[in-house]
C-alpha cells in the first residue's frame, strides 16, 4: 500500500511508541551483589574469579501412589499388604500390581505377622531429608510365603552394635498411630 | 555389523567443583584434547563428524533441561544429529555403546560421544538426595533415601552369604587410591592403609567414607569411527593412526529398580562355568545385569577365559563392595570368591607399591589401574566415557604421554574391558576394547 503524505510526516517527527528516559523498576528481592570489581582493560576479564550465586529451589510435588494406594491404606489400618499373582502364586512383599513373570494382575493379600532380616545397614549419614534421623537402621525383610522382600527401618537394635548376627533374626511390624501415608508408617522391631 | 574403532579421547580434570566454567566449556576441554591428540582442527573435524551422543545423568543436578544440545552447539556440531542418553550411573557406558551402534550400523562414519556431570550445585547431602531419587520414590526413597545405605545392605548380605570381610573391601580402596596417586586426572590421589580406610568416618555400616566414591564436576569425550571414518580422519590428520583400538564386544543387562524385588533364581552361567549349588541368585548380593552384560560382551568378543584373555578392567567401583561383587559378575572369579580375589593381588598393578602383602600372583588382571570412581571421582555422565578414554590410552601404550607418568601403564595391554553400572545394578554395560 502506498504511503500517504500525512503518514510519512508523522513518523519523521516522533516515534510515538518510544519513551524517553526508559527505566525498569528495581527490587530488593533475590540476589544482590554490591560492588563487583571490574578492570579498565577488558583483557584482564579472563583472569576474573567466577561469580557464584546461591538461590533457593523449592517445589511442592503432587505424587499419586496410584495402583499401590491400597498398600498405604493398609498401613493406616495396621495391615501389611503384599500382592500375589493368581496364576503362578508369586508373592510380592513390596507390592506390584502386575506379575513380572506372566503379566497377570495380582491380588492383595496380608503378609505373615513375623519376618526375618535378610540384610541391613546402619546409616550414619544420609540424604539431606533424613540427615537429622541418623543413625538409623535400614533392612530388607523376608517373609515365609513371599518371594520378594520389603525395605524398612529397624527399631530396637543398637545402631552402635551393628553385627552380621542380626541377619536371620525374627522381627515383626509395628505401625505408627498417626499415619503419614509413607512406607515408614510401618517399621520393624525384634519379635 | 561393521568394525568400530575408538580413535581418540579426552577427559577434563575431575574436581569437587568447577566454578570457573559452566558445563559446555568443561566438555570442550575433553573434546579439544581428543581432537588435539589426533592432530585435527575443530574446523576440519566438524566437516568430517556425522553426529554425536550426549551423556549426562541428572536433570536435578543440572537444573537445566536439554543440556545436551547446549554442548552440541558450543562444540559447533549443530545441525548434525544427536540425542541424549540417560541410564543412571551407566549413562556414560550407554553413551559409548550408542556411538558404537551409530557406527556399527552404518548410520554414521564418525560419531562423538561426550558426557559430563556438574554435581557441585548442591551440598553433598542434597546431592545424595538427588541421587536417591534414582530409587523407587513410593517405597525406597522415603524409607532411606541414600544410595550408600542401599549398597551397604547389599554387602552385608554378601558378607553373610560368602564371608567377605571389610579388610578385603579396604584393599580395593587402597589399590584404587594408590593407582590414582599416579593419575593427574584423579580427584583423590592418596596413599592409604587398610587401617586408614577402616578408621575413616562410618557412612553406612560397614562402608566408610573411603569405601565410597566422591561427587565431581567433570567431562569426557570419545571419537568413534568406522573404517571409512578412520580413513577420513587420517586424511585430515595427514598421518596414519597407530596402534588402532577396536570396540570388539558390547553387552548390556538390566534388573529391577527395587532391590527388594530381585528374584532368587539360578546363575546365568558363562559357557565355561560350573553350576552353583544352593545359590539364590541374584538376590541383593549380586548384579544380574552385570552378569548378563558380561555374557553378551564376552560372546561378542570371543572371550572364553576373561582372567587370561583380558589384560585389565576399568569397572564401576562406586563402592569397594561393588568392585568385589563385579569381579564375580564379570567372571574374574567365581561367585563367592570376590573377597579373596580382592586381597589376592590379582587386581593390583605389579609395579606399584601398595604397602600390602599378597598371597597370590600380583597383576594377573589389574582392575581400575586409573584409580576408578573411588579415586578419580564420579561425575556420572562422564564416568563411563572416562573409563573408555583411560582404556584407550592403556591399549595404545600412551599412558605416560597422557599422565606424564608411566607407572600405571599395563605392559603390553592388548585387550581391556570397561564396565559401567547404574542404580543398585539396574543398568549395566560391558564393552571390550582391543588393540587392532
Amino acid at each position: 500500500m502506498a504511503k500517504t503524505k500525512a503518514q510519512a510526516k508523522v513518523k519523521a517527527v516522533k516515534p510515538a511508541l518510544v519513551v524517553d528516559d526508559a527505566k525498569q523498576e528495581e527490587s530488593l528481592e533475590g540476589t544482590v551483589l554490591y560492588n563487583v570489581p571490574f578492570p579498565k582493560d577488558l583483557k584482564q576479564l579472563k583472569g576474573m574469579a567466577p561469580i557464584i550465586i546461591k538461590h533457593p529451589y523449592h517445589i511442592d510435588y503432587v505424587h499419586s501412589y496410584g495402583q499401590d494406594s491400597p498398600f498405604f491404606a493398609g498401613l493406616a489400618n495396621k495391615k501389611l499388604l503384599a500382592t500375589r499373582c493368581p496364576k503362578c502364586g508369586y508373592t510380592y512383599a513390596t507390592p506390584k500390581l502386575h506379575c513380572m513373570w506372566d503379566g497377570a494382575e495380582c491380588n492383595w493379600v496380608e503378609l505373615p505377622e513375623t519376618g526375618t532380616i535378610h540384610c541391613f545397614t546402619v546409616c550414619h549419614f544420609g540424604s539431606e531429608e533424613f540427615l537429622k534421623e541418623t543413625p538409623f537402621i535400614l533392612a530388607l525383610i523376608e517373609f515365609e510365603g513371599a518371594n520378594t522382600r520389603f525395605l524398612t527401618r529397624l527399631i530396637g537394635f543398637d545402631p552402635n552394635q551393628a553385627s552380621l548376627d542380626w541377619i536371620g533374626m525374627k522381627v515383626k511390624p509395628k505401625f505408627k498411630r498417626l499415619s503419614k501415608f509413607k512406607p515408614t508408617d510401618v517399621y520393624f522391631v525384634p519379635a | 555389523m561393521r568394525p568400530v574403532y575408538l580413535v581418540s579421547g579426552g577427559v577434563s580434570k575431575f574436581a569437587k567443583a568447577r566454578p570457573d566454567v559452566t558445563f559446555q566449556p568443561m566438555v570442550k576441554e575433553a573434546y579439544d584434547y581428543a581432537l588435539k591428540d589426533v592432530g585435527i582442527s575443530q574446523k576440519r573435524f566438524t566437516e568430517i563428524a556425522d553426529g554425536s551422543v550426549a551423556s549426562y545423568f541428572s536433570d536435578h543436578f543440572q537444573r537445566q533441561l536439554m543440556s545436551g544440545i547446549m554442548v552440541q552447539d558450543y562444540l559447533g556440531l549443530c545441525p548434525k544429529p544427536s540425542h541424549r542418553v540417560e541410564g543412571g550411573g551407566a549413562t556414560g557406558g550407554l553413551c559409548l555403546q550408542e556411538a558404537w551402534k551409530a557406527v556399527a550400523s552404518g548410520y554414521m562414519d564418525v560419531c562423538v560421544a561426550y558426557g559430563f556431570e556438574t554435581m557441585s550445585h548442591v551440598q553433598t547431602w542434597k546431592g545424595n538426595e538427588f541421587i536417591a531419587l534414582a530409587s523407587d520414590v513410593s517405597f525406597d526413597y522415603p524409607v532411606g533415601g541414600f544410595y550408600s545405605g542401599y549398597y551397604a545392605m547389599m554387602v552385608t548380605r554378601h558378607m553373610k552369604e560368602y564371608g567377605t570381610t571389610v579388610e578385603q573391601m579396604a584393599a580395593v580402596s587402597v589399590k584404587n587410591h594408590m593407582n590414582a596417586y599416579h593419575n593427574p586426572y584423579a580427584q583423590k590421589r592418596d596413599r592409604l592403609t587398610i587401617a586408614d580406610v577402616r578408621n575413616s568416618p562410618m557412612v553406612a555400616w560397614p562402608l566408610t567414607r573411603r569405601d565410597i566414591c566422591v561427587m565431581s564436576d567433570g567431562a569426557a569425550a570419545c571419537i568413534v569411527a568406522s573404517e571409512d571414518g578412520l580413513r577420513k580422519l587420517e586424511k585430515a590428520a595427514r598421518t596414519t593412526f597407530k596402534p588402532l583400538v577396536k570396540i570388539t564386544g558390547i553387552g548390556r543387562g538390566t534388573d529391577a529398580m527395587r532391590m527388594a524385588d530381585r528374584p532368587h533364581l539360578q546363575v546365568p552361567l558363562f559357557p565355561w562355568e560350573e553350576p552353583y549349588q544352593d545359590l539364590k541368585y541374584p538376590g541383593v548380593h549380586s548384579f544380574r545385569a552385570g552378569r548378563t552384560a558380561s555374557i553378551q560382551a564376552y560372546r561378542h568378543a570371543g572371550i572364553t577365559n576373561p582372567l587370561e584373555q583380558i589384560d585389565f578392567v576399568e569397572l564401576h567401583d562406586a563402592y569397594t563392595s561393588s568392585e568385589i561383587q563385579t569381579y564375580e559378575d564379570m567372571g574374574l572369579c567365581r561367585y563367592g570368591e570376590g573377597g579373596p580375589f580382592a586381597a589376592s593381588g590379582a587386581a593390583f598393578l605389579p609395579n606399584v607399591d601398595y604397602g600390602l602383602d599378597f598371597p597370590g600372583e600380583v597383576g594377573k588382571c589389574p582392575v581400575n589401574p586409573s584409580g576408578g570412581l573411588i579415586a578419580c571421582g564420579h561425575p556420572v555422565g562422564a564416568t563411563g566415557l572416562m573409563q573408555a578414554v583411560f582404556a584407550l590410552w592403556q591399549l595404545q601404550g600412551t599412558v605416560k604421554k597422557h599422565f606424564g607418568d608411566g607407572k600405571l601403564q599395563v605392559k603390553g595391554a592388548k585387550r581391556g574391558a570397561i564396565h559401567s553400572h547404574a542404580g543398585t545394578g539396574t543398568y549395566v554395560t560391558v564393552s571390550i576394547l582391543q588393540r587392532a
Side-chain angles (χ1 to χ4, degrees), chain B residues 126-260:
Chain B
K126 186 53 105 179
N128 272 288
E129 200 173 299
F130 284 176
I131 292 168
L133 291 171
S135 62
D136 189 320
V137 297
S138 289
F139 290 97
D140 293 342
Y141 174 78
V143 181
F146 191 31
Y147 251 81
S148 297
Y150 302 153
Y151 274 85
M153 278 192 281
M154 291 192 283
V155 80
T156 56
R157 190 69 209 178
H158 199 276
M159 292 162 85
K160 186 75 178 179
E161 201 85 40
Y162 302 130
T164 311
T165 68
V166 292
E167 288 75 20
Q168 290 165 342
M169 291 190 269
V172 172
S173 178
V174 170
K175 168 173 69 69
N176 294 358
H177 282 99
M178 195 68 89
N179 290 349
Y181 190 79
H182 303 280
N183 177 354
Y185 288 94
Q187 192 171 326
K188 296 271 176 194
R189 306 170 66 188
D190 297 318
R191 296 170 182 271
L192 300 176
T193 64
I194 302 278
D196 292 335
V197 178
R198 290 316 301 163
N199 292 335
S200 70
M202 189 61 73
V203 175
W205 193 88
L207 299 174
T208 73
R209 195 166 279 181
R210 291 300 197 169
D211 284 304
I212 303 174
C213 68
V214 289
M215 300 207 196
S216 295
D217 284 0
C222 292
I223 299 169
V224 177
S226 65
E227 276 175 359
D228 287 348
L230 191 64
R231 263 174 239 124
K232 287 185 218 171
L233 292 168
E234 286 182 333
K235 197 176 162 205
R238 294 204 183 90
T239 182
T240 48
F241 301 146
K242 263 192 287 189
L244 291 170
V245 172
K246 263 185 187 171
I247 303 172
T248 55
I250 290 290
R252 284 188 191 181
T254 56
D255 213 333
M257 174 65 121
R258 300 190 305 220
M259 282 197 307

Side-chain angles (χ1 to χ4, degrees), chain A residues 85-190:
Chain A
C85 177
K87 276 193 175 169
C88 68
Y90 203 83
T91 302
Y92 297 88
T94 311
K96 251 186 187 184
L97 182 61
H98 287 93
C99 180
M100 65 179 167
W101 303 112
D102 52 35
E105 188 170 315
C106 296
N107 297 318
W108 290 98
V109 295
E110 273 189 69
L111 281 168
E113 284 175 2
T114 58
T116 53
I117 298 172
H118 183 73
C119 61
F120 75 94
T121 184
V122 183
C123 291
H124 294 271
F125 290 92
S127 55
E128 192 175 278
E129 186 177 348
F130 306 111
L131 212 45
K132 58 185 181 298
E133 297 168 25
T134 58
F136 57 81
I137 305 169
L138 295 178
L140 289 180
I141 309 300
E142 56 185 43
F143 299 90
E144 197 74 41
N147 300 88
T148 69
R149 287 145 295 280
F150 181 72
L151 174 66
T152 192
R153 295 270 185 107
L154 278 187
I155 307 290
F157 292 78
D158 182 353
N160 296 314
Q161 301 292 325
S163 160
L164 288 180
D165 293 340
W166 292 359
I167 294 176
M169 281 178 70
K170 269 198 154 44
V171 286
K172 62 182 181 188
K174 258 195 162 175
F175 299 89
K176 283 188 183 158
R177 199 164 52 82
L178 303 173
S179 299
K180 301 277 167 62
F181 295 91
K182 296 268 180 164
T184 41
D185 283 353
V186 64
Y187 54 93
F188 280 70
V189 298

Side-chain angles (χ1 to χ4, degrees), chain B residues 43-64:
Chain B
K43 201 169 157 45
R44 190 75 186 91
F45 183 77
T46 307
E47 289 165 14
I48 299 168
D50 294 303
S52 70
V53 187
S55 153
Y56 66 100
F57 156 59
S58 175
D59 292 318
H60 291 82
F61 277 115
Q62 271 300 91
R63 209 185 67 89
Q64 167 67 68

Side-chain angles (χ1 to χ4, degrees), chain B residues 31-50:
Chain B
Y31 183 67
D32 284 351
Y33 193 97
L35 296 192
K36 196 174 165 218
D37 201 37
V38 285
I40 302 176
S41 70
Q42 178 176 323
K43 201 169 157 45
R44 190 75 186 91
F45 183 77
T46 307
E47 289 165 14
I48 299 168
D50 294 303

Side-chain angles (χ1 to χ4, degrees), chain B residues 334-397:
Chain B
R334 277 177 71 77
Y335 279 110
E337 295 173 359
F341 184 84
S344 72
F348 289 69
L349 284 162
N351 58 336
V352 174
D353 180 15
Y354 298 94
L356 297 173
D357 292 323
F358 299 111
E361 183 190 342
V362 178
K364 182 91 182 149
C365 179
V367 175
N368 287 322
S370 69
L373 281 57
I374 283 183
C376 289
H378 182 20
V380 186
T383 306
L385 295 170
M386 166 199 82
Q387 295 172 325
V389 176
F390 290 159
L392 171 69
W393 293 345
Q394 284 287 3
L395 294 165
Q396 288 175 333

Side-chain angles (χ1 to χ4, degrees), chain B residues 110-126:
Chain B
V110 176
C111 183
V112 185
Y114 53 75
F116 64 93
E117 208 75 37
T118 50
M119 307 176 83
S120 62
H121 296 299
V122 293
Q123 297 295 321
T124 295
W125 308 118
K126 186 53 105 179

